[in-house]
Amino acid sequence: MTSWNGLNTAYFTEDKDDHIYNALVKSIVEHQLLPGSKLPEEALAQAFSVSRTGIRRVLQRLAAVQLVTLLPKRGAHVTTPDADESRDVFSTRKILECANLPQVIAHCQPPHLAALKTLVEEEKRAHEERNGAAAIRLSAAFHVQLQAISGNKVLTEAVSQLTLRSSLAIAAWGAPWQQGCRCTDHDDLLDLLRKRDVQGLADSMAHHFEHIVASLRFEPHHGETPDFMQLFAGHAAQSHKEPG
């Protein structure tokens, strides 16, 4: 199954509860469910028309990939990465993505450049229209598809998974309108890729991540419980009915 950022990932499989799992992943990484938000089993079960047992299974899967935190007697919350973890996520991405750029350039062909240009244009449009969900998704897709050019599926999968945690960090600590990356940075990266400037591309990519971290404001806040019936309207029809 295709993930929210346009690639097939381990987060998006085809098990019984996947439509619920994928809906929650999408809502978390697109900042509809913010870090710290409570995820009560009963409310989610009603929203998706499934049992609390089914919701519990999904929440456990989300906890396994660090998008949800499960606390005894306190239930499930969208994970709030702390300052150190948030910095480490972007530091790890910088290491991986910069190190792989020589292979990206070596394998880059005109169709790759055209596909990335389309993503950048769509991302600009999302920012102009203040479409936060699309801006986040397209920003992640740019990075993942850039790395995919190299043909290194393991690294591309790692970057794809890290984009989910990056989105959590930005949701937790970013400015009110900080959706994904600055698309002007992506324009510059694409231009350097077109020129096959390995060093320039690596330097710009490193600065790109450093700027994101510098823009985060590490001040605590508390998430609120959203209206799950409204947020997940339409998903209940796809849910598998099962005994409670």
Side-chain angles (χ1 to χ4, degrees), residues 33-38 74 77-80 171-173 219-226:
L33 288 173
L34 295 175
S37 296
K38 295 180 181 179
R74 293 182 58 190
H77 296 73
V78 177
T79 297
T80 301
W173 308 113
E219 300 169 358
H221 71 277
H222 301 284
E224 300 179 354
T225 301

Side-chain angles (χ1 to χ4, degrees), residues 47-243:
F48 287 104
S49 296
V50 296
S51 72
R52 291 180 65 173
T53 301
I55 292 298
R56 196 172 298 124
R57 285 196 302 265
V58 171
L59 292 175
Q60 289 169 346
R61 289 175 62 187
L62 290 167
V65 296
Q66 302 179 36
L67 294 182
V68 164
T69 300
L70 301 176
L71 298 173
K73 299 183 180 180
R74 293 182 58 190
H77 296 73
V78 177
T79 297
T80 301
D82 63 24
D84 287 340
E85 179 182 344
S86 298
R87 292 189 183 98
D88 288 347
V89 166
F90 287 106
S91 176
T92 301
R93 286 189 60 186
K94 181 171 73 171
I95 292 168
L96 289 177
E97 296 187 42
C98 289
N100 197 43
L101 289 174
Q103 289 302 310
V104 169
I105 288 179
H107 290 83
C108 187
Q109 300 296 324
H112 297 132
L113 295 171
L116 290 173
K117 181 175 176 58
T118 297
L119 280 177
V120 170
E121 291 173 348
E122 291 176 352
E123 186 185 1
K124 285 180 182 176
R125 187 156 52 249
H127 277 273
E128 290 168 358
E129 297 173 355
R130 308 286 285 186
N131 185 341
I136 295 165
R137 183 176 62 255
L138 292 163
S139 174
F142 176 88
H143 282 269
V144 174
Q145 293 189 30
L146 174 65
Q147 297 301 321
I149 294 171
S150 71
N152 186 331
K153 294 181 180 180
V154 174
L155 185 142
T156 302
E157 172 70 10
V159 170
S160 179
Q161 294 175 5
L162 283 168
T163 62
L164 302 182
R165 296 177 67 181
S166 298
S167 180
L168 266 184
I170 291 173
W173 308 113
W177 178 252
Q178 184 177 350
Q179 310 292 353
C181 307
R182 299 185 304 183
C183 51
T184 53
D185 286 1
H186 292 168
D187 246 338
D188 295 340
L189 292 171
L190 180 56
D191 186 54
L192 290 164
L193 176 62
R194 191 179 291 111
K195 295 175 180 176
R196 298 185 177 273
D197 182 350
V198 176
Q199 190 59 55
L201 184 57
D203 290 343
S204 290
M205 182 72 79
H207 293 153
H208 178 56
F209 286 122
E210 290 162 4
H211 174 268
I212 294 173
V213 173
S215 70
L216 300 179
R217 303 182 303 185
F218 295 109
E219 300 169 358
H221 71 277
H222 301 284
E224 300 179 354
T225 301
D227 183 340
F228 294 111
M229 296 299 291
Q230 180 178 356
L231 181 59
F232 297 115
H235 285 279
Q238 304 175 41
S239 300
H240 296 277
K241 301 282 187 179
E242 54 182 340

